Amino acid sequence: LGTSTWQVHCDGSSFTDNDLTLARPSPSPPPSPPAPPSPPLATVLPFVITGGCADERAVLDGVEYTAAGYTASGAPYYRDSSSSYYIYWDPDCNAGGAAARWIVNNLPPSTTAALDLDGDGDCVYYARINSEDSSSPPLGTNTWQVLCDGSFTDNDLTLARPSPSPPPSPPAPPSPSSPPSPPFWHDVAKETAEVAKEIAVHVTGRILIEILIGLGASIVACLLAAVARRRAWRSRHGRAHNREVQIMPDQEVQLAEARGGAVIEDVPVQAPVERAA
């Protein structure tokens, strides 16, 4: 090892003295530490971009972008709800030494390529902003280069977190549950009771009718008997009651006195007359 003179075949004709050095190779540099793991995608917050010019209003004005994954550099990339537009960080958009930037494009970025993530060998996009921060596009209002009227112009775009959704309405109270259906035997017992009730009402009505008929017959019989007794009594006592009384001459004075002193004319004696009751 070290430097020594060697006979070396040079110029293709003869051997000549040539100092050669033999040494141990330099140790390899330590490997770079592994990149920290990307945070869970659910923790990457969405944003709404506003302020785009009229040509790019569908892409850059009032459009919400949410995290869709990570590229090879570990930077998150975003897409809109229709998956038509993407925002991602490209370290070199043409693989020719272009500055790192955040790009708005209609092509999804490669998740394996280190550079030129749309693979077109050129820097073609709707809008871009140069940035070395790959963790997120700059929030707030910043000046982007936006393709408006056929050329790139300065355009102030605002990236902000979406407004929080209102709390959900409280659930409606559960509707009261209907009572469980009674067992079969309960229905049979209920129907039996109703039938028995109807029979009892019917029987009771018949009994009452028979009682009323019996009472009516008794009352009629009593009335008829009373009428018969009255007719018999009037038949027996009517004659004596209706018979005229003979007044003797010597009784006239007494009768007159009994009638208040008035003199009664001679009344001819008549035979008793039968009168109908």
Side-chain angles (χ1 to χ4, degrees):
L1 295 179
T3 301
S4 302
T5 301
W6 289 60
Q7 290 291 307
V8 180
H9 186 262
C10 296
D11 298 330
S13 58
S14 62
F15 284 90
T16 59
D17 293 338
N18 192 171
D19 293 336
L20 299 179
T21 301
L22 278 68
R24 302 298 182 190
S26 301
S28 301
S32 301
S38 300
L41 198 61
T43 63
V44 181
L45 299 177
F47 57 83
V48 176
I49 188 167
T50 56
C53 62
D55 290 353
E56 308 301 345
R57 186 165 295 165
V59 186
L60 301 174
D61 194 15
V63 182
E64 182 174 342
Y65 287 84
T66 57
Y70 293 95
T71 61
S73 65
Y77 71 93
Y78 303 82
R79 67 185 174 199
D80 72 331
S81 60
S82 67
S83 299
S84 300
Y85 304 102
Y86 299 85
I87 297 179
Y88 57 89
W89 186 79
D90 196 332
D92 185 350
C93 58
N94 61 0
R101 64 197 67 190
W102 281 94
I103 290 172
V104 181
N105 204 344
N106 64 342
L107 298 175
S110 169
T111 58
T112 58
L115 307 170
D116 188 15
L117 302 189
D118 61 359
D120 62 357
D122 203 353
C123 296
V124 179
Y125 33 71
Y126 292 106
R128 59 93 175 166
I129 186 171
N130 291 351
S131 175
E132 294 294 332
D133 183 3
S134 65
S135 63
S136 171
L139 298 178
T141 302
N142 296 276
T143 302
W144 290 59
Q145 288 291 306
V146 180
L147 184 62
C148 298
D149 297 327
S151 61
F152 283 93
T153 59
D154 291 342
N155 191 169
D156 289 340
L157 300 181
T158 301
L159 278 67
R161 301 300 182 197
S163 302
S165 302
S169 303
S175 57
S177 58
S178 57
S181 301
F184 172 75
W185 62 265
H186 179 81
D187 292 340
V188 173
K190 184 177 179 181
E191 292 179 2
T192 303
E194 291 177 353
V195 171
K197 182 178 178 181
E198 292 178 0
I199 293 173
V201 171
H202 180 71
V203 171
T204 303
R206 290 291 301 273
I207 293 174
L208 289 176
I209 291 172
E210 292 177 0
I211 291 174
L212 291 175
I213 292 173
L215 289 175
S218 299
I219 293 172
V220 170
C222 292
L223 290 175
L224 292 175
V227 170
R229 286 195 300 272
R230 180 174 178 81
R231 285 181 176 179
W233 183 86
R234 291 180 64 182
S235 177
R236 288 194 304 271
H237 297 84
R239 298 186 185 92
H241 178 74
N242 293 323
R243 186 183 299 122
E244 291 188 4
V245 180
Q246 285 185 335
I247 302 176
M248 302 302 293
D250 58 349
Q251 293 176 330
E252 291 181 358
V253 175
Q254 294 177 359
L255 181 60
E257 291 177 355
R259 293 182 176 179
V263 178
I264 302 175
E265 295 180 354
D266 292 337
V267 179
V269 179
Q270 296 179 356
V273 179
E274 294 286 338
R275 293 185 182 182

PDB file of all heavy atoms in Angstrom, residues 53 144-148 151-155:
ATOM      1  N   CYS A  53     -59.641  34.279 -11.292  1.00  0.00           N
ATOM      2  CA  CYS A  53     -60.160  35.109 -12.374  1.00  0.00           C
ATOM      3  C   CYS A  53     -61.311  34.389 -13.074  1.00  0.00           C
ATOM      4  O   CYS A  53     -61.567  33.209 -12.848  1.00  0.00           O
ATOM      5  CB  CYS A  53     -59.044  35.459 -13.364  1.00  0.00           C
ATOM      6  SG  CYS A  53     -58.329  34.014 -14.187  1.00  0.00           S
ATOM      7  N   TRP A 144     -50.647  34.345  -6.662  1.00  0.00           N
ATOM      8  CA  TRP A 144     -50.335  33.176  -7.481  1.00  0.00           C
ATOM      9  C   TRP A 144     -50.197  33.626  -8.931  1.00  0.00           C
ATOM     10  O   TRP A 144     -50.716  34.669  -9.346  1.00  0.00           O
ATOM     11  CB  TRP A 144     -51.455  32.138  -7.396  1.00  0.00           C
ATOM     12  CG  TRP A 144     -51.596  31.430  -6.072  1.00  0.00           C
ATOM     13  CD1 TRP A 144     -51.829  31.986  -4.850  1.00  0.00           C
ATOM     14  CD2 TRP A 144     -51.542  30.019  -5.872  1.00  0.00           C
ATOM     15  NE1 TRP A 144     -51.923  31.029  -3.895  1.00  0.00           N
ATOM     16  CE2 TRP A 144     -51.752  29.791  -4.480  1.00  0.00           C
ATOM     17  CE3 TRP A 144     -51.351  28.919  -6.699  1.00  0.00           C
ATOM     18  CZ2 TRP A 144     -51.755  28.525  -3.918  1.00  0.00           C
ATOM     19  CZ3 TRP A 144     -51.361  27.651  -6.158  1.00  0.00           C
ATOM     20  CH2 TRP A 144     -51.556  27.449  -4.763  1.00  0.00           C
ATOM     21  N   GLN A 145     -49.518  32.820  -9.712  1.00  0.00           N
ATOM     22  CA  GLN A 145     -49.507  32.982 -11.163  1.00  0.00           C
ATOM     23  C   GLN A 145     -50.641  32.120 -11.724  1.00  0.00           C
ATOM     24  O   GLN A 145     -50.640  30.898 -11.581  1.00  0.00           O
ATOM     25  CB  GLN A 145     -48.162  32.550 -11.739  1.00  0.00           C
ATOM     26  CG  GLN A 145     -47.012  33.496 -11.434  1.00  0.00           C
ATOM     27  CD  GLN A 145     -47.171  34.818 -12.172  1.00  0.00           C
ATOM     28  OE1 GLN A 145     -47.327  34.855 -13.392  1.00  0.00           O
ATOM     29  NE2 GLN A 145     -47.148  35.903 -11.420  1.00  0.00           N
ATOM     30  N   VAL A 146     -51.630  32.790 -12.327  1.00  0.00           N
ATOM     31  CA  VAL A 146     -52.846  32.117 -12.794  1.00  0.00           C
ATOM     32  C   VAL A 146     -52.993  32.366 -14.296  1.00  0.00           C
ATOM     33  O   VAL A 146     -52.757  33.474 -14.781  1.00  0.00           O
ATOM     34  CB  VAL A 146     -54.087  32.622 -12.033  1.00  0.00           C
ATOM     35  CG1 VAL A 146     -55.352  31.924 -12.521  1.00  0.00           C
ATOM     36  CG2 VAL A 146     -53.911  32.403 -10.530  1.00  0.00           C
ATOM     37  N   LEU A 147     -53.401  31.306 -15.005  1.00  0.00           N
ATOM     38  CA  LEU A 147     -53.613  31.417 -16.447  1.00  0.00           C
ATOM     39  C   LEU A 147     -54.947  32.113 -16.699  1.00  0.00           C
ATOM     40  O   LEU A 147     -56.018  31.524 -16.597  1.00  0.00           O
ATOM     41  CB  LEU A 147     -53.602  30.027 -17.079  1.00  0.00           C
ATOM     42  CG  LEU A 147     -53.713  29.974 -18.609  1.00  0.00           C
ATOM     43  CD1 LEU A 147     -52.528  30.664 -19.265  1.00  0.00           C
ATOM     44  CD2 LEU A 147     -53.804  28.519 -19.082  1.00  0.00           C
ATOM     45  N   CYS A 148     -54.878  33.401 -17.038  1.00  0.00           N
ATOM     46  CA  CYS A 148     -56.069  34.204 -17.306  1.00  0.00           C
ATOM     47  C   CYS A 148     -55.914  34.866 -18.673  1.00  0.00           C
ATOM     48  O   CYS A 148     -54.847  35.415 -18.987  1.00  0.00           O
ATOM     49  CB  CYS A 148     -56.256  35.288 -16.247  1.00  0.00           C
ATOM     50  SG  CYS A 148     -56.502  34.666 -14.558  1.00  0.00           S
ATOM     51  N   SER A 151     -52.701  33.966 -20.704  1.00  0.00           N
ATOM     52  CA  SER A 151     -51.335  34.173 -20.218  1.00  0.00           C
ATOM     53  C   SER A 151     -51.344  34.160 -18.686  1.00  0.00           C
ATOM     54  O   SER A 151     -52.384  34.364 -18.053  1.00  0.00           O
ATOM     55  CB  SER A 151     -50.765  35.503 -20.737  1.00  0.00           C
ATOM     56  OG  SER A 151     -51.549  36.594 -20.266  1.00  0.00           O
ATOM     57  N   PHE A 152     -50.174  33.927 -18.121  1.00  0.00           N
ATOM     58  CA  PHE A 152     -50.063  33.891 -16.663  1.00  0.00           C
ATOM     59  C   PHE A 152     -49.955  35.317 -16.124  1.00  0.00           C
ATOM     60  O   PHE A 152     -49.130  36.116 -16.594  1.00  0.00           O
ATOM     61  CB  PHE A 152     -48.849  33.057 -16.240  1.00  0.00           C
ATOM     62  CG  PHE A 152     -49.094  31.580 -16.337  1.00  0.00           C
ATOM     63  CD1 PHE A 152     -48.749  30.885 -17.489  1.00  0.00           C
ATOM     64  CD2 PHE A 152     -49.690  30.899 -15.298  1.00  0.00           C
ATOM     65  CE1 PHE A 152     -48.980  29.527 -17.593  1.00  0.00           C
ATOM     66  CE2 PHE A 152     -49.926  29.529 -15.398  1.00  0.00           C
ATOM     67  CZ  PHE A 152     -49.581  28.849 -16.550  1.00  0.00           C
ATOM     68  N   THR A 153     -50.818  35.633 -15.158  1.00  0.00           N
ATOM     69  CA  THR A 153     -50.831  36.952 -14.534  1.00  0.00           C
ATOM     70  C   THR A 153     -50.904  36.771 -13.026  1.00  0.00           C
ATOM     71  O   THR A 153     -51.280  35.712 -12.506  1.00  0.00           O
ATOM     72  CB  THR A 153     -52.047  37.772 -15.014  1.00  0.00           C
ATOM     73  OG1 THR A 153     -53.251  37.060 -14.692  1.00  0.00           O
ATOM     74  CG2 THR A 153     -51.990  37.999 -16.515  1.00  0.00           C
ATOM     75  N   ASP A 154     -50.529  37.824 -12.317  1.00  0.00           N
ATOM     76  CA  ASP A 154     -50.645  37.806 -10.857  1.00  0.00           C
ATOM     77  C   ASP A 154     -52.118  37.810 -10.469  1.00  0.00           C
ATOM     78  O   ASP A 154     -52.912  38.620 -10.977  1.00  0.00           O
ATOM     79  CB  ASP A 154     -49.945  39.020 -10.249  1.00  0.00           C
ATOM     80  CG  ASP A 154     -48.430  38.952 -10.397  1.00  0.00           C
ATOM     81  OD1 ASP A 154     -47.926  37.845 -10.643  1.00  0.00           O
ATOM     82  OD2 ASP A 154     -47.767  40.004 -10.277  1.00  0.00           O
ATOM     83  N   ASN A 155     -52.473  36.920  -9.555  1.00  0.00           N
ATOM     84  CA  ASN A 155     -53.867  36.802  -9.115  1.00  0.00           C
ATOM     85  C   ASN A 155     -53.855  36.460  -7.628  1.00  0.00           C
ATOM     86  O   ASN A 155     -53.271  35.438  -7.223  1.00  0.00           O
ATOM     87  CB  ASN A 155     -54.575  35.721  -9.918  1.00  0.00           C
ATOM     88  CG  ASN A 155     -56.097  35.696  -9.724  1.00  0.00           C
ATOM     89  OD1 ASN A 155     -56.801  35.030 -10.452  1.00  0.00           O
ATOM     90  ND2 ASN A 155     -56.634  36.427  -8.762  1.00  0.00           N
TER      91      ASN A 155
END
